[in-house]
Each structure stands twice: as structure tokens, then as C-alpha cells.
Amino acid sequence: PGPFRSSMPRRHGPDQVSDAVAQLWTQDLTPGQIADLESSTQFKAQDISGPLSQRWGQVAGANGRAPAATVCAMPEFAPYPLTQRLVAMHNADKSGHLTFVDYVNVMSALSGNQAAQEKVNTAFNIFNCDERGTISKLDLFNLFRLHTHQQHSDETLHHIVESIYSKHPQGLGISDFAEMLTPTDLAKLALNI
């Protein structure tokens, strides 16, 4: 992605964002970069340069970036306890400050338009914290804790994890993980955007 303008205003209220301001976030992207974003995400060019750009204008600083914590605090991410991990995964330069392109990729990962297998891949990658290709016992424990909203004791959750790992001693791979997910679980991975 190209550099962003440094003369952009710091924040904009929803009623103050015009089409001209929305274009600020995309004007430094080449048509090829916008086409690449369009082909690699769930969004069309007009979504990228319109509503997504407008929303980004409300959180990005003058340098076109926003701290990961600011992005995670956005109301649309509030229902997702794993937003921090998802944002970290899509923070391309690992600086802790997202670019507009990073933000579009996060939004795409949570898009309701994502195919079921893409949702499975996204969910798996969120929990595959060490990026070894398997979900560890600790990650699986944390997954169950989040999923059950602490309705079960840690002892019960540890027992469930041990039971699963007795069947998958090398770790929980993506196909094993996919078998555990229901359509309802996958639906929870989508924003209404």
C-alpha cells in the first residue's frame, strides 16, 4: 500500500464525512492496489472507497494509521472477544498500528459474505496462535472458555480438552477443528456489514 497523506484531519464525526474525505484514505492507493484489495477481500471497490473509508476516517490519525487498541474498541468489534488476535493477524507490519488496508482485511475476515471454509480458516488461524498448524491444549481451553462464557469450571474444561487431545495427540489440525464447528459457530464469526 502507498503512503497516506499527512495533512488529513485527525478524526471525523459520521455526519461530517463527505465523499471527498472518504477518498483521502484510498487516493494514495493505485488502481491496481484497490483491485488487489477487491479481489482478496469480500468488498467491491465502491465499498472500499465508500463506507469502509468513511468508517476508517473516524478512527485513523493524521498519518492514516490507527492503534490496534482503538480498532479493537470500535463498537462493531465489541461482541468479538478475539478481535485483538484477529487485528494482530492482519497488522501487516506488526507495528501495533493498522493501515487502511489492514482494516479492510480485518473487516473482510469478519464479513458475512465469507464462504464457510474461509470462516473455518479464519477461526482456525485465530486459535493457531503459535502458527504451527495445530491448536494447542491451552488455545483449545481458551476457545472453550470463550465459547461457553465460563458456564463450566476450569476443571471441566480441562477434562474436555484432555478428552479431545486423547483422540488427537499431535494437536488439533484444521480438519479436526472444522468438524467441531457448527453453522451457528460460523455465523458468530460474521459482522453485519
Side-chain angles (χ1 to χ4, degrees):
F4 291 95
R5 288 204 182 287
S6 59
S7 61
M8 289 185 266
R10 179 146 175 84
R11 299 197 187 272
H12 304 282
D15 298 333
Q16 299 169 323
V17 179
S18 67
D19 289 338
V21 171
Q23 293 300 318
L24 290 175
W25 305 111
T26 56
Q27 70 185 8
D28 289 323
L29 296 177
T30 67
Q33 289 170 316
I34 291 175
D36 287 346
L37 260 180
E38 186 176 22
S39 69
S40 66
T41 68
Q42 303 298 320
F43 302 111
K44 297 189 182 317
Q46 61 265 27
D47 298 323
I48 294 166
S49 62
L52 290 170
S53 180
Q54 289 174 357
R55 184 67 176 116
W56 184 246
Q58 296 170 3
V59 297
N63 64 355
R65 293 174 156 269
T70 300
V71 174
C72 290
M74 294 170 74
E76 53 265 45
F77 294 127
Y80 301 95
L82 299 171
T83 299
Q84 289 179 341
R85 172 77 177 122
L86 186 64
V87 165
M89 286 170 44
H90 289 285
N91 182 205
D93 67 5
K94 306 300 181 205
S95 67
H97 289 79
L98 277 70
T99 65
F100 176 66
V101 171
D102 296 336
Y103 169 73
V104 171
N105 286 319
V106 169
M107 294 298 285
S108 181
L110 291 171
S111 169
N113 296 330
Q114 218 181 25
Q117 187 57 50
E118 289 174 317
K119 288 180 184 181
V120 168
N121 291 343
T122 296
F124 181 81
N125 289 330
I126 289 171
F127 289 103
N128 182 22
C129 294
D130 58 12
E131 298 180 5
R132 293 179 322 153
T134 59
I135 297 176
S136 71
K137 286 183 181 182
L138 178 60
D139 293 335
L140 187 60
F141 172 82
N142 288 331
L143 167 67
F144 286 140
R145 176 178 268 167
L146 285 170
H147 188 68
T148 63
H149 306 286
Q150 297 184 341
Q151 294 171 346
H152 301 289
S153 69
D154 286 355
E155 183 178 329
T156 300
L157 293 177
H158 281 294
H159 179 71
I160 293 168
V161 169
E162 289 301 327
S163 173
I164 290 170
Y165 265 78
S166 70
K167 298 173 190 164
H168 307 283
Q170 301 302 315
L172 196 61
I174 192 163
S175 60
D176 305 318
F177 180 75
E179 289 175 14
M180 294 173 52
L181 296 175
T182 67
T184 302
D185 295 327
L186 293 178
K188 291 178 184 176
L189 294 172
L191 289 173
N192 293 323
I193 52 176

